[in-house]
Amino acid sequence: MSTIYSSPDSEIQRPTVPPGPPPSAADGRRPRRNPLVLAGGLGLSWLVPAGLVALHLGVVLLPLLLLATAAVIRVGGVLLDRLFVAGLILAGSVLTFGLVFSLWPWGLSPTVTTGVMFSVLTTAAWAARRAPRLPLRFRWSDLLVLGTFAGIWHYLFHPVDGASAAERVAYFATAEDRLSHFSFFSGIQGVGGFDFLHQEAARSYLIPPSEVTYPQGSHFLLAWTDGLVHSAADPGDMVHTMNRYFLYLLVAYALFCTSLVWAARWIGGPRLRGWRSAAVCATVGAIMFASNYLDLLVHGFDSTFIGLLLVALALAVLIRPAMGLTEFLLVASAGLIAVTYTYNIYGAFVGVALLGALVVHRRRFAGRWWWTLGALACALGVAALPSVLSVLGDLDVASASNMSGPSVSADRSILIGGGLLGLLAAAMPRNRRTATGQAHLAVLLGTGGLLSAFAVYQLHSIGKYSYYFHKMTAVGVVVALISIGAVGAVLQTPHRGTGNVLTRRLGELALSGLTVAAALSLFANVQWGFLATKDAPSAWSNNPLVAWGRGEFETDMGPKGMDALKVLRGDGPVIALVSNDDVKNLKATWLASLMNRRGGDMKALYEIHWVDIGGPQAKEEDYQRSFGRLKGAIEKLPAPHPTPTILTADRSVGDRIKRDLAKHGLAVNVLSDQGLLWTQPWGRTFPGL
C-alpha cells in the first residue's frame, strides 16, 4: 500500500510504508493473525452493547463506536483530525448497514445493530493486522475548533435550558418542514428501517408519496442514534421523542458550524501553523457565529444543514486525502453515500470532488485502478439506490427541480468573495504545485460549473432562480468557507530566528490572540462592549444566533397547547382547531397526528391549512368556507378509519361543527377547551445574554 501523498509541506508523491504493527523480531515478518484475539474481540463486540443497553447506557455506544473506528484507521496526526474522519466513515457505514437493518427481523435494535458494527470493525482490524491505536496529540488550534462548538451550543441551548419537553415544543414547531422531517424520523422508528424499503407501512407515518421520493439519510442517522440514547428501538412517549429529536438538531447545527472550521484547517494542512491557523479557524468560526444560516434551523431545513455538515467533511478529505489507499476508498465511499442519502442533489458536488481527486492523484493508483474503480462503483451503486427508487416511483424530476418554496438565500458576499479568494489561493504558485492545491482548484471550478449549469437550466425553464438553486448555492458557501484554509496556508510565516524558544512561543501566542480578536470583530461584529452608535446595541447583539439565544424565535405552540394535545391519544385521526388562525390549526393538527403516530393522515388533513375557525366570533363567511375545507379533509381520509376527533377552542363552535357534519353523514368526536387560544408565546426570560 502507498499513501496518496506523504510529505505534508511539499506533498511530493512517493511510496511510503503505511503505519501498522511492528515486524516480528524473529523473522522480520508481521505477526500472524491470532484466532483467539479475533474470538475475544467478537465476544466483546456483543457483550459490551448488550450490557450497556441492559443498564440503559446505550448512549455510551456512540462514542465507543466513534473511538473504535478512529483506532482502526490511520489518518491524521492529531486526535481531533482522526475523530472527524472517523465520524464521516461512521455516518456512511450506518447508512450502508441501514439497508440490511431495514430488512432483517431485529430492525434498529441498539444491541444488534451496534453488535454487528463492532464485529465488522473487529474483523477488519484483525484481517489487516491493525492493533487499535489513537494519536493522543493535539494542536493548539484544536481549542478554536472545539471552542466554535462550545460557543454555538451555548446560544442554541440557552433558551431551552431547564425547560420541560412540552415547553421545548415552542422551538421544535417553528416551521411545517420540521414537522415533516419528524414524520420521516418517526416512520423509520415505526417500520424499523428506511421508509423507502417499507413503503406500504411507512404511509401511515408520513405524507405519501414522500416515503420514496425524499432522501432519508439524516432521519435514519438520527433515528438510529435515538435508539442508542433511549436504549431501545421503541421511542416511547412521543412528546419526549420530539424533545430528543430537537436536541439532536441543536447538536447537529453546532457540529455543522464546527465542521467548517475543522475542514478549513484540514485543507491548510501541516503548513498551517501558529497565528495563521488561528486566523483561519477564527475567521470561519466568526462567520458562522454571525451567519444567516441559523435560519436553516429556524425554518426546519433539517436535512439541508445536516447534509452540508457531511459535504464539508467529504470535500475536505477529498481535497487533501492525506491517507493510504484503503482509507481513501473508505472516506470517498462513506462521503458519497452519506451526502447522497441525506440530500441527494449534494451528491453531485461530492462526485466532482472525487473525480478531481482521482485525476490529480492518478499516478498513485497505478496498478490498482481496477480495485479502486470497482470499489467506488459499488459505493456509487449503493449511494444511487434511493434516488433511483424515487425516480422509478412518483417523482417528477423536472417539476421537482423547478419547484418554489421558502428558502434561505446564501450570503452572496461569502459565496462570491470567498469563492474568488479561494481561486486566488489555489492559483498561487505555492499551492498550484501541490496535489492539494490542484484538487482544491478542481473543486472550486467544478462547484462553480454545477451551480452555473443549474442556474442556466432554471432561467431557461422558468425564467428565475427557485428553491433548489438556493439549496445548491449553500454548497458554494461551504466551499468558499473551507477554502479559507488554502488562503491561510500561503500567508507569510514570521521569521523564527534563533532566539529563546519560550519568547518565540509567547510571541506566537500573542499574535494568535490578536488574530482571533480581529477575526471576531471583522466577521462576527463583536465590538467588545462598545455600542455601534450612541443609542443602538452592537451589530453582534442583533445577529440571528444571539437573537435565538434570547428566545426570539419561539412559537406560540407552548405547554398549554401540548397539554391539550396530550388528551387526544387514540386510534383515530385528530383535527386540532385551536384558534381562528389556519397556520396554528395546521401545526396543531400535525403535532397531534405525529403524537398518535398517524402522520400519514396529513395527506388529507393538510386541508386544515385553509381552516381558520375553532375559536369564538368567527365571521359567518369564514365559517362556511372553512367548514367546506374541513368536510373535504375528513372525506379524504383513507377508509376504513376510526371516528375522527376534533378539538376546538370554543365549545359552541365545536357543537356546531359536529351538527353540520352529521347532516352530511360524517360522525366525529368533539372536545373543547375554552382556554386553548394560542395567541401569545409561552414566554420566558433569559438572563445572561
Side-chain angles (χ1 to χ4, degrees), residues 634 641-646 658 661-670:
I634 295 174
H641 59 75
T643 302
T645 298
I646 298 178
K658 185 174 184 178
L661 288 174
K663 295 177 182 177
H664 293 84
L666 299 174
V668 295
N669 300 316
V670 174

Side-chain angles (χ1 to χ4, degrees), residues 333-359:
S333 300
L336 190 62
I337 292 169
V339 171
T340 307
Y341 274 48
T342 301
Y343 213 78
N344 49 14
I345 62 174
Y346 292 167
F349 296 92
V350 178
V352 166
L354 177 55
L355 181 60
L358 291 174
V359 172

